[in-house]
Amino acid sequence: MSFLVIGECVADIVRAPAGSPVADRVHPGGSPANVAYGLGRLGRDVTLLTQLADDPTGRLIEAHLTGAGVRVEVGDVPERTPSAVVALDARGQASYTFDIAWTLKSGAPAGLAPRHVHIGSIAAVTSPGASAVLAETERLRERATVSYDPNVRPALMGEHGPAVTRVERCVALSDLVKASDEDLAWLYPGEDPRAVAARWLALGPAVVLVTLGAAGSIAVTRRHTVAAEAPPVTVVDTVGAGDSFMSAVLDALAGRERDALAALGAEDLARLLGTAGAAAAVTVSRAGARPPDRAELDAAHGAFALRPGRGW
């Protein structure tokens, strides 16, 4: 089972809360890159189509990805590798300030035939590179399933109405969509996440997942709505938690065709949320976007599954 992830790499410069004795840290990041890294950590055959500069942070990110087994295809070389200053509050919640441009021009290398394509975040909605992302996704979806995570960054989304239109176009291309409650609150202020998930299903996906932070997550299909609690964990920071959740979802569903995704039952969805929630819990328990490997995920899911009242 081969995966192609298309999207940005970002150097996350993580700043500790004011007054903290901890120094700033630089971590490889970018939501699509994190998803690719998470899949690589789980032993999956994964290629990341991205853009990276030949600078210190670009080399750091490439080494980070290839160290997990990710093949990195650089479709465009910018003047500098994108960066984001990540500020953490006292609870470990992250906010971002970006220095990013997305100008991808080329598609996947000739001969690459992934069974699944994942897109998301800045690269899927930011011009001019988003056009190449969507064109490649449309071409490949004839023989591959597609997933999408909007991972909304309001500072980079532009005007609200056109931004929603761009997101919904990506939703319509996808078989599986994952969004956070914060994403949905920005896209559709005041609307219930379950109502948004149901509306997105009408655009085309078979499954919509919504993460709710400490409140857990939900999975919505045309036949079922399933909720799961979040595992109890001490949060160091939340950087990459949603991406770890996404990687674990894609790993758990690897090889399922569109019909099989549509046929997922309530027990399947509960197991899926449990596994993905365990992956996110591992990530928030340590600094940076560091998803679990296979052994860590198996151990974490087993531990959380044994807790009474977890509903998994």
Side-chain angles (χ1 to χ4, degrees):
M1 173 71 187
S2 59
F3 292 86
L4 172 65
V5 179
I6 309 176
E8 73 273 5
C9 292
V10 179
D12 287 336
I13 304 167
V14 182
R15 290 187 175 154
S20 170
V22 179
D24 291 352
R25 306 182 304 275
V26 179
H27 297 288
S31 177
N34 289 343
V35 172
Y37 181 74
L39 285 167
R41 291 268 290 166
L42 293 172
R44 292 296 179 177
D45 179 0
V46 55
T47 299
L48 174 67
L49 175 60
T50 190
Q51 53 186 44
L52 278 174
D54 185 15
D55 58 18
T57 52
R59 292 188 288 273
L60 171 70
I61 291 170
E62 185 168 12
H64 168 76
L65 291 164
T66 57
V70 179
R71 285 186 298 276
V72 179
E73 293 288 344
V74 178
D76 187 38
V77 180
E79 291 185 4
R80 61 186 179 276
T81 296
S83 64
V85 175
V86 185
L88 301 174
D89 65 18
R91 298 174 299 154
Q93 297 292 320
S95 60
Y96 297 82
T97 303
F98 296 98
D99 179 11
I100 292 177
W102 178 251
T103 58
L104 187 74
K105 300 179 181 66
S106 61
L112 190 66
R115 295 285 304 280
H116 185 86
V117 177
H118 176 72
I119 62 174
S121 196
I122 297 161
V125 296
T126 301
S127 295
S131 296
V133 174
L134 296 183
E136 189 67 354
T137 303
E138 289 174 339
R139 182 181 73 83
L140 292 171
R141 76 182 305 274
E142 295 181 5
R143 58 181 181 273
T145 49
V146 176
S147 57
Y148 171 57
D149 178 359
N151 193 46
V152 170
R153 298 293 179 240
L156 300 175
M157 296 297 287
E159 293 185 29
H160 184 264
V164 172
T165 298
R166 293 194 299 272
V167 167
E168 290 181 348
R169 181 183 178 190
C170 295
V171 170
L173 281 173
S174 303
D175 303 290
L176 169 72
V177 178
K178 191 278 291 182
S180 71
D181 54 349
E182 293 179 346
D183 294 335
L184 300 186
W186 188 87
L187 292 165
Y188 310 102
E191 293 198 41
D192 183 272
R194 289 169 176 79
V196 175
R199 191 162 68 249
W200 277 6
L201 287 174
L203 296 177
V207 184
V208 176
L209 307 175
V210 181
T211 57
L212 307 169
S217 57
I218 58 173
V220 183
T221 69
R222 290 171 179 79
R223 296 188 300 157
H224 304 287
T225 297
V226 175
E229 296 180 20
V233 64
T234 299
V235 175
V236 174
D237 72 47
T238 61
V239 177
D243 303 323
S244 291
F245 186 101
M246 186 83 249
S247 296
V249 165
L250 297 181
D251 172 70
L253 296 177
R256 290 183 184 256
E257 303 294 341
R258 288 192 173 95
D259 290 348
L261 290 175
L264 288 170
E267 291 185 1
D268 299 320
L269 296 169
R271 284 193 296 271
L272 182 67
L273 294 179
T275 299
V282 172
T283 301
V284 302
S285 72
R286 53 199 188 190
R290 295 172 54 206
D293 61 19
R294 178 70 62 190
E296 289 174 324
L297 179 57
D298 289 347
H301 186 251
F304 294 136
L306 291 173
R307 290 180 178 271
R310 290 294 90 192
W312 295 353

